Amino acid sequence: SLLHQNNYLVDGELRPWSGESSEVYSTISSTQNYAPTLLGTIPTLGEKEALEAMDAAVNAYNKGQGLWPTMKVNDRIACMEKFVTQMKTKRDEVVKLLMWEIGKSLPDSEKEFDRTVDYIYDTIEEYKQLDRDNAKFEKNDGVYAHIRRGPLGVVLCLGPYNYPLNETFALLIPALIMGNTAIFKPAKFGVLLISPLLEAFQSSFPKGVVNIIYGRGRTVATPIMQSGKVDVLALIGNSKSANALQNEHPKSNRLRLVLGLEAKNPAIVLKDADLDLAIDECIAGTTSFNGQRCTALKIVYVHEAIVDEFNKRFAKRVDALKFGNPWESGVKLTPLPEPDKPQYIQELIDDALAKGASILNEKGGQTTENYIFPAVLYPVNKDMRVFQEEQFGPVIPVLSFKDINEPLDDMAESNYGQQVSLFGSDIKTLAPLIDTLVNLVCRVNLNSSCQRGPDVYPFTGRKDSAVATLSVHDALRSFSIRTFVASKDN
Ligand code: G3H
């Protein structure tokens, strides 16, 4: 049945909306002709409603004693616990919408939901620890200080379509528990799945603490930024949107940023690598959720001594992956939520073919309206778009190298610096290489594919890949500032 979301959350009220609405479609088709399936509608709010949300968040942050930022720690925790308890009752609905809205497989959709619930509980525990640390006084040069972490203010929170629940909440939850207030606009794909949670937000938090709005970015997010009242822009997505929003703020140099952006994580397969292991991990790293992960392996470097063997086996393994609807058993590849993605991936393939690459796997590049089968491209070079661009989809560029400095130089020149996967077995070779790699990216995955979790580990990047650090531990720090009360020894 269709889900018509006809209200939005501002200042503690689920306000009815009778204005324009936008239809939400799924690329998963219930017919054979790939006609998109209508899932429901969302409000297309205007500037007025966006600014009301903004003012509600500002008021909730600024007004009086005992409200959200100055509320007792245990009371704030109680609000968060109430929310997560209610959220858990919505698992089936949210998981179903994850599958239909973004085409994520059933096991991965369930994992996204459960991981988010765990993340909330872990954040609560981490916050308790932080509060215990806050209780300490210190004395230096005759000055007593009680140093504590306090909130930054009002957060505009925008999450990505590939983890519309988990990564949005990885921003929102730590921001809230630290005492910030928020305006949150759900991702373009994965927007309806927030609907089952609206009442939980409304009944768990004081008014104005969380405001949930819908609409076109330019109509709602831009005026919010232009108001100059946003203290933190928290966004996981692309740098084009982040830069555009940042530039709308009249005093952008005082805006704090918590950003998770593009990456082009390489795999480097050395000649003494365990090839079975390297292939297993590269399959997972390049094709999981069709490559639509910022942590996906987006370029594969293989030593020239083993590249032919790697390519033969890797291409066969890619072709063996099952494509289908997200709820079907054993499905690894699923329809793509962005309608223009198959065309974009096709352009990357055509460009690479024109510049000398071949498609190594038989099914590579086979298309339907809502899908394109991952193409393994070899040999890829720097002139190709697939080398330069973050494909964020099903195409796998492979290069061979003779000298390890070739991939290292490429990484040094790259605009990105999130993670790398390194495959090899001789510790004498690996150790100095790891020392070099950790200065080019923020996480070196030894004999394993790149990933964000476990969520206790820092999630960040160098260069254009990130600003600030997320994780159960780090996010509380990223959304707060150290403040203190000082008194003299007299
Ligand atoms: O899209 C970027 C996500 O942070 C990837 O997370 O490695 O857990 O899939 P993941």
Side-chain angles (χ1 to χ4, degrees), residues 19 90 97 131 150 196 213 227 243 292 359-360 378 409 412 462:
K90 304 292 180 183
L97 284 163
D131 184 55
I213 58 169
S227 75
N243 290 339
Q292 302 165 120
I359 299 177
L360 300 185
Y378 180 82
D409 288 348
R462 297 171 187 273

Side-chain angles (χ1 to χ4, degrees), residues 143-210:
V143 178
Y144 286 100
H146 177 205
I147 301 174
R148 53 189 163 183
R149 284 209 159 258
L152 294 166
V154 174
V155 180
L156 176 62
C157 178
L158 304 160
Y161 81 79
N162 64 336
Y163 277 98
L165 180 75
N166 180 265
E167 286 211 299
T168 308
F169 280 34
L171 300 170
L172 185 65
I173 297 299
L176 291 177
I177 205 161
M178 283 310 307
N180 301 281
T181 61
I183 310 126
F184 149 45
K185 179 172 122 53
K188 182 173 177 192
F189 307 103
V191 52
L192 284 174
L193 58 85
I194 299 300
S195 301
L197 305 176
L198 278 189
E199 279 179 20
F201 274 116
Q202 190 225 3
S203 61
S204 305
F205 296 99
K207 67 178 196 157
V209 169
V210 193

Side-chain angles (χ1 to χ4, degrees), residues 284-412:
T286 54
T287 64
S288 167
F289 194 38
N290 311 298
Q292 302 165 120
R293 297 161 58 230
C294 63
T295 51
L297 289 174
K298 300 202 178 96
I299 192 151
V300 182
Y301 292 89
V302 187
H303 192 275
E304 62 171 14
I306 53 165
V307 71
D308 291 342
E309 184 62 16
F310 177 94
N311 280 344
K312 197 169 75 187
R313 288 160 61 181
F314 184 70
K316 222 169 155 185
R317 288 282 303 279
V318 173
D319 272 353
L321 296 171
K322 184 175 168 190
F323 169 72
N325 285 325
W327 48 86
E328 290 168 26
S329 161
V331 156
K332 298 287 182 199
L333 305 169
T334 49
L336 305 170
E338 292 174 288
D340 49 359
K341 190 51 88 60
Q343 173 62 29
Y344 169 67
I345 297 293
Q346 186 65 56
E347 284 170 19
L348 295 185
I349 295 172
D350 292 344
D351 173 75
L353 297 182
K355 292 172 182 163
S358 301
I359 299 177
L360 300 185
N361 54 326
E362 279 176 28
K363 294 190 192 169
Q366 287 180 3
T367 49
T368 64
E369 287 293 320
N370 61 359
Y371 188 66
I372 180 160
F373 201 91
V376 183
L377 295 172
Y378 180 82
V380 162
N381 64 49
K382 289 184 193 185
D383 295 332
M384 297 175 186
R385 287 179 60 191
V386 75
F387 179 94
Q388 301 290 347
E389 297 173 25
E390 189 208 31
Q391 65 267 42
F392 214 80
V395 60
I396 309 165
V398 182
L399 290 82
S400 70
F401 69 92
K402 187 184 180 113
D403 182 333
I404 187 63
N405 286 311
E406 295 166 36
L408 293 183
D409 288 348
D410 288 349
M411 287 175 70

